[in-house]
Amino acid sequence: MSESTTGRRKNLSHKITELLAEEILSGKLPPGSRLLPERELSVRFGTNRNTLREAIRNLENLHLVSARQGDGMKVLDWTRQGEVTLLPWFLQHTRDLEASRKVVEDFLRLRRLMVVDVCGRLAETAGREELNAVLELVRSQRGNLGNPEQLVRTDLDIMLGLMRAAHRMAYLWSFNTMVRLYVNAVFSFPDLWVFVPGYVDSLESVLLAALDGDSSTAASRMDRHLRESDRLIMEAVRNFQTLLE
Amino acid sequence: MSESTTGRRKNLSHKITELLAEEILSGKLPPGSRLLPERELSVRFGTNRNTLREAIRNLENLHLVSARQGDGMKVLDWTRQGEVTLLPWFLQHTRDLEASRKVVEDFLRLRRLMVVDVCGRLAETAGREELNAVLELVRSQRGNLGNPEQLVRTDLDIMLGLMRAAHRMAYLWSFNTMVRLYVNAVFSFPDLWVFVPGYVDSLESVLLAALDGDSSTAASRMDRHLRESDRLIMEAVRNFQTLLE
DNA sequence: AAGAATTTGTCCGTATGTATG
DNA sequence: TCATACATACGGACAAATTCT
């Protein structure tokens, strides 16, 4: 399912995955309902069993359906059993604006928790060179103020840089997964490219505190920064959703 | 890759995935090195191209390798670009005990961050019936004190129950992913089935605070509980690793 | 600059195994 | 016991992208 995060050309099985995911996430195929057998589905979509099975496997990886040998395929209760990779699919196919707003809100909140936690031990885990490298990245943002897309892109790099600097692989890998899910969404909606006033100064002060050996100050500054940033983003989301109605 | 989380029989492509992952994670195939072409690899593993491509796709999903049409396949810098799903693979194939210890530590820490955060708004987001259901689950643990495996299993259910009760899909789905990665590891090592003294009382007091409308007390209690629990688990990990040396 | 060689991407058809009801 | 339905594996053909000559 890395196709959903990269911008690659879509193959047939991916298109079928989207069609079936749409039917499931929109409620047309509710949890518990059974899918047609593979052979019949492959006829319905005008393809062969192998290609269709590709699509089924994608749906299984999203925990949208489960297939049992000898039995058949049924739709799972994805609201309870879904995987994190389901997030972009959900946002794309649901028509429940309130639910998708909550998903974005929680997603930002998770990001904040992780980043702030990492900042809280930055001085102990990161080397000065690494911190300086991120600081330089932050300062380079002054030159990007006229280029929103570059601003967003570098902002993600800064967060990733902090994760890398902290040398916590589990955090970095979890963050990688989240960022990859997020990046497509954020680049699809320029309306959400929102930055707080004093953006560069805020982040700069975080790095300076860390370089000063004061992790807890770094953490509290990052917390304040992200809370404000997330608040603006959620405001933008609401405005954007209002336009859709 | 759901095969790695479920206990299904391993097919050929999965075995090939493990062989190649082992070579990569052990450093035999370092980042930047190129893999043999698909056709040659399929011969080397005594299979056909399609089955081998299955394995390659698994490695791509783990962000261990990338394949480019017309070019070839190369090993990625997985320490920087790995996905969260790489965690169990890393733990299984690395021989770096210190690194794997840190991974487990961070994993537990992530769990704590998420669970505590959810507890911090439990009274506002969860219904009384849901909280009572989790409370009942907690109390049922008294009857499982002689059955460690059931204790572990229900402990996971309690955490998942809290996530569900809070009605935050992004949290629940992220947590689902983490739990599924964790569950195999934890059930493979009974040495790590460690529970703090007063386990049931601790969790009970969390739920009672939430039912009392006091989310912040619930959160701080859960924080204390998980810090102590994680500390014991890490101690068990260290003891276990000492035996391996 | 053009074309040949190499390599992955996509899709199809088929045969056989295995779990389920 | 038997039919059904998914699971696995193999082989082949052609398309598309890249690299090299």
Side-chain angles (χ1 to χ4, degrees), chain B residues 37-39 49-50 53 68-73:
Chain B
E38 289 178 350
R39 287 181 175 81
R49 221 187 117 205
N50 286 321
R53 277 177 61 75
R68 276 182 65 220
Q69 191 173 174
D71 186 2
M73 301 179 287

Side-chain angles (χ1 to χ4, degrees), chain B residues 108-170:
Chain B
L108 293 173
R109 191 169 171 125
L110 271 176
R111 178 185 70 154
R112 175 166 59 81
L113 284 183
M114 291 178 64
V115 171
V116 169
D117 186 56
V118 161
C119 287
R121 18 178 203 163
L122 216 42
E124 294 75 31
T125 52
R128 293 193 69 82
E129 330 74 43
E130 295 164 319
L131 291 176
N132 275 317
V134 179
L135 179 57
E136 196 159 332
L137 214 50
V138 169
R139 287 177 169 156
S140 78
Q141 286 285 61
R142 294 195 205 277
N144 298 331
L145 292 177
N147 185 347
E149 179 169 345
Q150 186 57 41
L151 214 50
V152 172
R153 207 174 292 279
T154 304
D155 187 56
L156 287 174
D157 283 340
I158 290 168
M159 298 298 164
L160 284 169
L162 288 175
M163 289 288 160
R164 271 195 234 104
H167 297 288
R168 316 302 301 199
M169 276 198 296

Side-chain angles (χ1 to χ4, degrees), chain A residues 9 11-13 46-48 50-51 68-71:
Chain A
R9 207 172 69 263
N11 57 30
L12 184 51
S13 62
T47 181
N48 59 68
N50 289 322
T51 299
R68 278 181 67 219
Q69 191 173 171
D71 186 4

